[in-house]
Amino acid sequence: MEGSTSLPLQQLIASLDKSCLPKILQVCSGVYFQGSVYEISGSEVCFSTGDLIKVTDLKLLSVCCEDVSNNEKFELPINHKGLFKVVPDDMAYRSVEEMVKMRPVSLCSSLPFTFTSHTKLSLDNLTLGAGRALTMIFMESREGEEDHLRCHIQGAHEAAAEVRLPLSTRGEFYVCEGQECFTLQEIMSSPDLRSQRFRFINTTMCDRPLILSPIYEIHAIMNMRKEILKFPSSLEMDVIDITDMSKDLNFEVPLSLMDMWSQPDDCFPAVVKILDTPAQCPLFKSAWFPLLKKSQQMVFHEKGVSPMVLMSSQKSRRTKQYFLVLQHYGGRFRVRPREFESVYAVYTVSLQVTGLRVSVTSNHEGDEDEGLPDLSIGDELEVIGCKTVMKTSGQDPAATHPMEVLVCKRLQRDDHDEDDDDDDESKDQTEEVLLPLFMQAHFVETQRDNKKYSLKDLSKKYKVPIDLKVVTRDPKLKEDPLTVGSSLRIEGAVLENTIQASFLETLDYKFEIPVQRIPLYTSFTKLPLPTPTDGPLECRLETVTEVTEAFFFELNRLNSTDAPPPPRPPKRATEKRPSTKKKKSSQVNKRKESLSPPTPEIEDLTITPKAIPQAPEKMQPPVPRRASKAQIEKAQPNMYVRRVDSMVKPVPPTPADAEDSDHDYETVDEIHKEDTKKKSVILR
């Protein structure tokens, strides 16, 4: 009796119909293993007495075959190709009606079936001797008459005939073995057939009667269990079906955030309860993340897929910060020129940007032996492309080696200190500069885009990485963390599966949870959705979430592909040069000579006083870059040099730019001026 009688798990599960699920079972005698073994082959095998199990699904695994004669058991896979015949019982029936009613298989599904009578039968005008076999074809029911069996008489000498056998006919009847064969799947799919005994048609396997019973993989849940349990029905334990007595029992089904996101749309909005929080989750530093505590109730409003960008703070902050920003962030940005620390960095960006222009932000003295050109602060270069040139060795002029260089065009600028004829002639000339990819130099991108962009517009016009500055904060945010620093960089973009959530205490404050990033378990509750008493709420959505550096590296790891990594920048050609004391002494002598007064020819070159910083008393005015060849050859090495034409005048904004301009940003020209003041040094 359900709810009062304990049964072996195998027997109870075999008698269940999947249409009656779910069922709640209580363990009467548990299954235990010594030590800490709780699973075998991924299946749950340990239950304690009194545990409640809610069976939600059954999956047929195999068939258990039990030999009736010796109780031996073995298993067969459900796709076993062998065929079986029904073995009739040895039971004797005293009447036809008893035989029909006691059939283990329903009458309709077992027709036709054959039986014999061990006694003499007298029928109307026909007498049948003992041992005659009759095959029942169908049952006749006539109004006002007793039900009869329409049977076919089998015999070797008599002609085939059909007789009507009343159900009240008494005698000694036995059911014969039929000729129909069944597969395991057919037997297991019919509750009537499962109650029969069978034997193999192939007697080499087993010629004795067998009892066939299914072995299921049980899918069940237990209260406060994170996963759906899967265990075989062959576990030796006794259970009680308490479904009727536990109608009000609420099993909290733990669902991960990804499981929640997979629920149908009509499940939202809903009140959920946090069942378990992650022990450690070093990915988020937002204000809402510490509030995700066990037993906390929340409202999951809706699910979706949100495009986000990953930003990082730049030089203005002591510690680098990372932010995950929704694409509908309400602030506005201006694009800042990118800075490069090497020629190779310029090369990688030039592959994405056509006609990239950069400006030199530090002086670099050339070296002919290594192919390093002379660069000065303020030099403006336009990238043409990359090629490989053959470079001669300093020790052996006949020996050459390939060297990858970035081909640039040095852009001429106006020089008001020279004659007009010379100026016009310089405009028509273009100087090609070859920068080795291994060269370490400092550049800044020449960027004159002063427009304000939304985050969505930026993604359409520029490719990452992009250096930005926030010029207008998001008005919907109480505190906009992106406005604290002066410079930001977009590191990448990502599509995240998110759930929009809020806490019951602050329904007007919504935030989006990336479901794949937080190992959080929740469950649906039956609580009604809270309704504000003061009318509809004006909700604000948290569009900026601060994340940790670990999130940045985790994102790169998940988005990594099997594509090969980018090549390393080429190294400087290494040559073994003799190191002698004579060479060191010559270098010392050169340093001493550099302190000597300059030649008179250099004194004739003047520079605007405003552009010259204060220098020591003995230091003479610097040499401009456009000095004559004879003057430069006579000049001492490492002389303090400053270019007048590096002071680029700012270009007034166009009317279109003036409408969209603001005073809270830095132009490229201002950056050049600031870098010129900071990086002008006296080389001794």
Side-chain angles (χ1 to χ4, degrees), residues 408-553:
C408 300
K409 180 174 66 176
R410 195 196 304 268
L411 303 178
Q412 301 291 341
R413 294 163 301 167
D414 295 335
D415 191 350
H416 300 287
D417 295 331
E418 295 186 2
D419 296 337
D420 294 339
D421 296 339
D422 296 339
D423 188 38
D424 295 338
E425 183 180 355
S426 64
K427 289 182 181 180
D428 297 335
Q429 297 176 354
T430 57
E431 180 183 356
E432 187 178 76
V433 182
L434 302 181
L435 303 178
L437 293 189
F438 60 76
M439 181 178 178
Q440 299 296 319
H442 300 276
F443 307 92
V444 64
E445 183 181 9
T446 303
Q447 178 64 258
R448 296 187 181 277
D449 189 355
N450 295 328
K451 294 183 180 180
K452 296 179 181 179
Y453 292 96
S454 65
L455 201 56
K456 188 175 182 180
D457 295 337
L458 276 173
S459 61
K460 296 179 180 178
K461 186 174 181 180
Y462 290 93
K463 295 183 179 180
V464 293
I466 312 172
D467 290 342
L468 308 169
K469 180 181 179 181
V470 180
V471 294
T472 305
R473 65 182 298 273
D474 190 343
K476 295 182 180 180
L477 295 180
K478 184 179 294 186
E479 294 181 2
D480 192 345
L482 298 183
T483 59
V484 178
S486 60
S487 181
L488 297 169
R489 171 170 292 180
I490 296 181
E491 304 284 358
V494 65
L495 285 176
E496 288 285 341
N497 297 335
T498 59
I499 294 179
Q500 193 176 107
S502 64
F503 296 103
L504 292 179
E505 299 80 8
T506 54
L507 289 175
D508 59 335
Y509 172 65
K510 295 182 179 179
F511 50 90
E512 293 197 354
I513 305 177
V515 297
Q516 293 175 302
R517 311 295 179 183
I518 302 178
L520 187 71
Y521 285 90
T522 59
S523 67
F524 286 107
T525 66
K526 297 182 180 180
L527 297 177
L529 289 171
T531 55
T533 57
D534 301 334
L537 291 176
E538 184 177 352
C539 299
R540 56 186 179 90
L541 179 63
E542 188 71 34
T543 55
V544 181
T545 302
E546 184 176 358
V547 296
T548 62
E549 188 177 17
F551 181 91
F552 175 68
F553 291 112

Side-chain angles (χ1 to χ4, degrees), residues 81-250:
K81 301 300 183 181
L83 297 177
F84 299 82
K85 276 188 176 183
V86 177
V87 177
D89 295 332
D90 295 333
M91 179 180 177
Y93 300 97
R94 299 303 176 184
S95 67
V96 174
E97 184 177 10
E98 181 184 3
M99 180 181 62
V100 172
K101 289 184 177 180
M102 295 295 291
R103 289 283 296 162
V105 182
S106 64
L107 186 61
C108 295
S109 61
S110 63
L111 291 178
F113 75 93
T114 303
F115 60 95
T116 60
S117 174
H118 286 197
T119 60
K120 183 179 178 182
L121 295 177
S122 298
L123 303 174
D124 295 337
N125 56 356
L126 181 65
T127 301
L128 298 177
R132 297 302 299 271
L134 293 90
T135 300
M136 176 182 173
I137 303 175
F138 61 91
M139 179 181 291
E140 287 184 342
S141 297
R142 294 180 180 179
E143 187 176 356
E145 295 184 7
E146 181 184 3
D147 291 342
H148 289 70
L149 296 184
R150 175 69 69 173
C151 298
H152 179 79
I153 302 175
Q154 294 178 345
H157 303 288
E158 294 84 2
E162 289 187 3
V163 295
R164 296 175 70 242
L165 188 65
L167 291 182
S168 59
T169 304
R170 301 189 64 83
E172 187 178 351
F173 302 98
Y174 292 88
V175 178
C176 301
E177 182 179 88
Q179 298 300 319
E180 190 174 3
C181 300
F182 304 92
T183 63
L184 279 181
Q185 291 185 347
E186 290 173 340
I187 296 172
M188 292 298 105
S189 61
S190 172
D192 293 330
L193 286 176
R194 283 208 303 260
S195 61
Q196 294 277 56
R197 294 186 300 172
F198 293 86
R199 69 172 180 86
F200 282 101
I201 293 180
N202 183 4
T203 57
T204 58
M205 296 189 65
C206 180
D207 58 352
R208 294 182 295 274
L210 301 173
I211 296 177
L212 306 182
S213 57
I215 297 179
Y216 291 98
E217 181 184 67
I218 302 175
H219 294 192
I221 60 175
M222 296 180 68
N223 196 35
M224 299 303 295
R225 295 294 295 262
K226 296 181 181 180
E227 302 86 11
I228 295 179
L229 305 182
K230 298 180 181 180
F231 57 93
S233 61
S234 57
L235 289 182
E236 295 182 0
M237 65 177 180
D238 295 335
V239 293
I240 300 177
D241 188 347
I242 60 170
T243 305
D244 291 343
M245 299 184 297
S246 307
K247 291 182 178 179
D248 297 332
L249 183 63
N250 183 25

Side-chain angles (χ1 to χ4, degrees), residues 270-281:
V271 179
V272 300
K273 178 182 178 182
I274 299 177
L275 301 180
D276 192 15
T277 55
Q280 292 182 350
C281 185

Side-chain angles (χ1 to χ4, degrees), residues 418 601-602 605 623-633 635:
E418 295 186 2
E601 293 183 4
I602 297 179
L605 302 176
V623 181
R625 186 174 180 276
R626 288 190 173 86
S628 65
K629 183 176 181 181
Q631 292 172 337
I632 295 177
E633 290 177 351

